[in-house]
């Protein structure tokens, strides 16, 4: 039996405990918090960043990082909406929009992984450069102006609510479910953890580490593209300045959810709880009329505490 059962319990269930306390506090402070509409609103608010966070979880599990996801959201939004404006039927245009957006996301992830695996450039530097390049490309393609006058059906995609549940929420839940199965029930998932735990040992065990790293960055790029298309649909336009600071929100959700920045430990279930914790925190602070500047401070403190907890658990 462990000599430190309290530490063991906190390490395993600490984030769930924090989420529970947060829910109880805001339910007491605001009568509007525990309404079905508000809870659905929370899931809608976190859906875009949470889908990216799934891809970021794959990347961070391999001890990598991707700072370009926010800029990629904007770039994909421009590419997808521009494809939608090419004269053709809406169905064909939507297919062209989705394919071009997903290809742009996959290509971005592949380019990042190419420099990381072939030239041994650290992920931080590669994705920092890519973040600047993609943001500049988004502004250059549109001359700094948004892509307007899109078909009405495009905006209806993200605003639809089948069975009362927002489409972005449904897509987010599906992405989390698929990712959980991939990481826990497939050989590829085991390879991801192995590469993050010890890349050299994984290579000596016969795992093609370069292929695994390439795959996780492509996955992250494609999920960022999904978010970029959904965001463009929500605002019914392609905005070159969209996705600003998304990378910080995404990394925060992953880290708060217990995924180690050193790789090899974490889960998408934890990322989902981390996204909920941050989303509910912001929603609750809004309901009790806490200013946006104070909210930034509170979220920053939560992230810092989560990283400290990760460091202590690693030691």
């Amino acid at each position: 039996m462990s000599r430190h059962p309290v530490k063991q319990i906190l390490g395993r269930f600490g984030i769930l405990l924090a989420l529970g306390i947060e829910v109880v506090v805001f339910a007491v402070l605001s009568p509007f918090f525990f309404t079905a509409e508000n809870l659905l609103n929370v899931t809608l608010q976190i859906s875009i960043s949470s889908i990216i966070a799934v891809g970021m979880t794959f990347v961070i599990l391999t001890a990598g990082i991707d700072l370009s996801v926010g800029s990629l959201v904007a770039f994909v939004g421009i590419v997808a909406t521009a494809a939608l404006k090419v004269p053709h039927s809406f169905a064909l245009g939507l297919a062209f929009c989705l394919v071009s957006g997903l290809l742009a996301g996959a290509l971005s992830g592949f380019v990042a992984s190419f420099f990381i695996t072939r030239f041994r450039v650290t992920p931080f530097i590669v994705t920092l450069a890519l973040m600047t390049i993609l943001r500049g490309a988004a502004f250059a393609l549109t001359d700094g102006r948004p892509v307007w006058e899109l078909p009405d059906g495009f905006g209806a995609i993200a605003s639809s609510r089948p069975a009362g549940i927002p489409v972005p929420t449904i897509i987010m839940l599906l992405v989390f479910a698929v990712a959980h199965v991939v990481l826990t029930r497939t050989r590829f998932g085991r390879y991801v953890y192995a590469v993050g735990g010890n890349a050299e040992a994984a290579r000596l065990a016969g795992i093609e580490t370069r292929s695994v790293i390439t795959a996780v960055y492509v996955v992250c790029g494609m999920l960022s593209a999904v978010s970029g298309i959904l965001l463009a649909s929500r605002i019914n336009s392609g905005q070159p300045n969209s996705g600003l600071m998304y990378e910080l929100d995404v990394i925060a959700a992953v880290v708060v959810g217990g995924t180690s920045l050193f790789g090899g430990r974490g889960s998408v279930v934890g990322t989902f709880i981390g996204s909920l914790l941050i989303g509910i925190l912001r929603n609750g602070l809004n309901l009790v009329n806490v200013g946006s500047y104070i909210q930034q401070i509170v979220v920053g403190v939560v992230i810092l505490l989560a990283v400290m907890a990760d460091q202590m658990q690693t030691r």
Side-chain angles (χ1 to χ4, degrees), residues 151-312:
D152 294 335
F154 181 66
I157 295 173
S159 60
S160 299
R161 291 196 171 203
I165 304 174
V167 166
T169 298
I170 295 172
I171 294 175
M172 174 190 71
L173 294 175
L174 287 174
V175 168
F176 270 108
V178 172
H180 175 68
V181 171
V182 169
L183 280 178
T184 60
R185 297 287 186 269
T186 68
R187 181 180 298 178
F188 174 71
R190 293 193 293 273
Y191 287 176
V192 169
Y193 282 103
V195 170
N198 190 320
E200 182 61 20
R203 186 187 67 81
L204 293 174
I207 298 174
E208 182 53 57
T209 57
R210 287 183 177 181
S211 297
V212 173
I213 292 171
T214 298
V216 297
Y217 278 92
V218 169
V219 167
C220 189
M222 293 185 73
L223 290 178
S224 298
V226 171
S227 290
I229 294 169
L230 284 174
L231 181 60
S233 175
R234 281 186 65 181
I235 59 180
N236 205 26
S237 64
Q239 299 281 351
N241 62 347
S242 63
L244 288 172
M245 305 299 288
Y246 270 32
E247 55 276 356
L248 298 185
D249 287 345
V250 167
I251 294 170
V254 176
V255 172
V256 169
T259 298
S260 174
L261 289 169
F262 300 102
R265 179 168 55 82
S267 69
V268 290
V269 173
T271 296
F272 179 65
I273 298 171
S275 296
L276 272 179
L277 191 145
I278 294 175
I280 288 174
L281 180 61
R282 286 184 169 149
N283 175 264
L285 291 174
N286 278 326
L287 290 177
V288 297
N289 297 317
V290 175
S292 59
Y293 301 135
I294 302 300
Q295 289 185 34
Q296 292 180 24
I297 294 172
V298 172
V299 173
V301 170
V302 170
I303 295 169
L304 182 60
L305 291 174
V307 173
M308 288 173 59
D310 174 59
Q311 292 273 7
M312 293 172 64

Side-chain angles (χ1 to χ4, degrees), residues 54-243:
V54 173
M56 188 68 76
T57 302
F58 278 80
V59 169
I60 292 180
L61 280 172
T62 63
I65 198 79
D66 191 345
L67 301 177
S68 68
V69 291
S71 297
L72 183 55
V73 164
F75 181 74
V76 167
I78 296 299
V79 170
T81 52
L84 195 61
K85 286 178 69 69
V86 176
H88 36 46
S89 67
F90 176 69
L92 183 60
L94 183 60
F96 191 30
C97 160
L98 296 175
V99 170
S100 59
L102 291 173
L103 283 177
L107 180 61
S108 173
F110 178 79
V111 169
S113 66
F114 179 79
F115 284 96
I116 292 167
T117 58
R118 301 294 174 178
F119 296 99
R120 305 289 184 181
V121 185
T122 59
F124 181 90
I125 299 300
V126 172
T127 56
L128 180 64
L130 200 56
M131 175 180 73
T132 306
I133 293 168
L134 290 170
R135 183 68 65 182
F139 277 96
L141 287 173
T142 61
D143 198 23
R145 293 189 292 268
V147 180
W148 295 104
E149 299 178 352
L150 303 175
D152 294 335
F154 181 66
I157 295 173
S159 60
S160 299
R161 291 196 171 203
I165 304 174
V167 166
T169 298
I170 295 172
I171 294 175
M172 174 190 71
L173 294 175
L174 287 174
V175 168
F176 270 108
V178 172
H180 175 68
V181 171
V182 169
L183 280 178
T184 60
R185 297 287 186 269
T186 68
R187 181 180 298 178
F188 174 71
R190 293 193 293 273
Y191 287 176
V192 169
Y193 282 103
V195 170
N198 190 320
E200 182 61 20
R203 186 187 67 81
L204 293 174
I207 298 174
E208 182 53 57
T209 57
R210 287 183 177 181
S211 297
V212 173
I213 292 171
T214 298
V216 297
Y217 278 92
V218 169
V219 167
C220 189
M222 293 185 73
L223 290 178
S224 298
V226 171
S227 290
I229 294 169
L230 284 174
L231 181 60
S233 175
R234 281 186 65 181
I235 59 180
N236 205 26
S237 64
Q239 299 281 351
N241 62 347
S242 63

